[in-house]
Amino acid sequence: LAPVALELLRQGLGARWSEHQRLFYLVPGPAWWTWAVILLATVLSVATPIKIWNNARIEHRLQEQEKLLLAAKIESLASQINPHFLFNTLTSISSLIRTQPDTARMLITKLSGLLRRLMRSTDHFVTLREELESIDEYLDIETVRFGPQLRVAKEINAETMDLIVPSMILQPLVENSIKHGLSRKVGGGRIIIRTSVLKSGHALLEVHDDGLGMSEERLEKAFAGGIGLSNVNERLRTIYGAASQLKITSAPGQGTTVALEIPVMTVAERFTA
């Protein structure tokens, strides 16, 4: 407004004394045309930088809001996994309290150790080494429940141990393998956890079981049938977008393999949501 007001004052003074001295009135021609051109030029010269600055400020605020929304969404998705696992484990403990109290007591001790580990850190991302340690504690609980019928093997590439992965990203997959693949199989079965680094620069994390497997019809509905897989898939999409993939291959009587492809991140690049 200040440049516009000064220009109007200049034009007014020029029009008032233009008959004697053309000190202020520098542009000849009709008054309305001169005023319109000067006013438009002044407004554009002032408004354009203000508009650019305002757009940059709004874009910055939108980016900050998106970061906050992303952090809130990741935390919400992560919070769905822990109660899911906790509910299933407590159900198992309750079924053993009367028949096998010593076993139930051991399960409670191991469960408290696992929950203590989860509560010690507020990070939504951990190294693969830490994730596998959590899986070991979880499998200790499941091994007590299923006994020698549950066998676990690991094929871990040493180069992947320090990769950064979302916290509790493998536990739901291992839990699904036990619950849907092995728990109803006569004679138990085996779970294999594999990790490797692909030529594309992505990390490949696989959980394979030789359980009952799934038909094509069930496979198509795998993401809609429970919290575990749908939650993992949603977390990957939220965190990595199109840079990640979750693939499921299965056949009745042959088992199921769930494979995660995520961008490689090392400890030096570690971040929290």
Side-chain angles (χ1 to χ4, degrees):
L1 292 178
V4 173
L6 289 174
E7 184 59 33
L8 292 176
L9 178 61
R10 187 178 78 84
Q11 290 297 316
L13 292 174
R16 172 69 178 81
W17 283 287
S18 63
E19 296 179 0
H20 306 288
Q21 301 180 44
R22 305 181 65 85
L23 295 177
F24 300 96
Y25 196 68
L26 301 179
V27 183
W32 68 270
W33 175 255
T34 303
W35 282 54
V37 172
I38 293 176
L39 185 60
L40 178 61
T42 304
V43 170
L44 289 178
S45 65
V46 174
T48 301
I50 292 178
K51 180 66 174 176
I52 294 174
W53 174 82
N54 194 47
N55 287 344
R57 182 176 61 88
I58 293 174
E59 184 177 353
H60 176 71
R61 293 183 65 180
L62 287 176
Q63 290 176 349
E64 292 296 323
Q65 292 295 325
E66 288 177 358
K67 289 180 181 179
L68 293 175
L69 180 61
L70 176 62
K73 190 171 184 179
I74 293 174
E75 186 167 355
S76 175
L77 290 170
S79 68
Q80 293 179 24
I81 293 179
N82 296 343
H84 182 225
F85 160 66
L86 181 62
F87 173 79
N88 289 339
T89 304
L90 290 177
T91 300
S92 300
I93 292 174
S94 66
S95 67
L96 294 172
I97 286 178
R98 290 188 177 182
T99 57
Q100 303 179 48
D102 292 338
T103 303
R105 189 179 300 109
M106 185 183 301
L107 283 176
I108 293 174
T109 301
K110 291 183 178 295
L111 176 61
S112 65
L114 177 59
L115 294 179
R116 191 178 299 112
R117 171 189 290 273
L118 295 176
M119 295 174 65
R120 274 201 303 263
S121 175
T122 58
D123 287 354
H124 293 293
F125 298 87
V126 297
T127 64
L128 182 61
R129 188 188 311 277
E130 293 170 317
E131 180 71 6
L132 292 175
E133 289 174 356
S134 296
I135 294 297
D136 287 341
E137 290 179 333
Y138 167 75
L139 287 173
D140 285 343
I141 295 173
E142 297 295 58
T143 301
V144 170
R145 289 175 55 202
F146 291 95
Q149 290 186 336
L150 175 61
R151 302 183 303 277
V152 180
K154 295 179 182 177
E155 300 174 4
I156 309 299
N157 187 326
E159 296 180 2
T160 65
M161 292 298 286
D162 291 323
L163 298 182
I164 298 299
V165 298
S167 177
M168 296 290 286
I169 200 69
L170 292 179
Q171 186 272 334
L173 306 183
V174 175
E175 183 177 355
N176 275 354
S177 293
I178 296 174
K179 181 178 179 181
H180 301 293
L182 303 180
S183 62
R184 292 174 293 174
K185 180 182 178 181
V186 177
R190 184 184 186 194
I191 293 177
I192 302 175
I193 301 175
R194 302 188 186 99
T195 68
S196 59
V197 178
L198 304 177
K199 293 182 180 179
S200 62
H202 284 62
L204 178 63
L205 313 178
E206 292 181 294
V207 176
H208 169 77
D209 67 75
D210 59 358
L212 299 178
M214 293 185 288
S215 63
E216 291 185 5
E217 183 179 354
R218 283 190 60 196
L219 196 59
E220 292 176 356
K221 301 178 180 178
F223 292 107
I227 295 176
L229 278 176
S230 60
N231 190 291
V232 170
N233 188 48
E234 185 65 22
R235 289 180 72 194
L236 292 177
R237 289 181 177 274
T238 301
I239 297 170
Y240 301 110
S244 66
Q245 289 186 2
L246 190 155
K247 298 179 181 178
I248 305 176
T249 55
S250 185
Q254 298 182 20
T256 302
T257 300
V258 181
L260 309 181
E261 287 188 26
I262 61 176
V264 170
M265 292 177 54
T266 60
V267 176
E269 301 169 289
R270 185 170 183 166
F271 63 93
T272 58

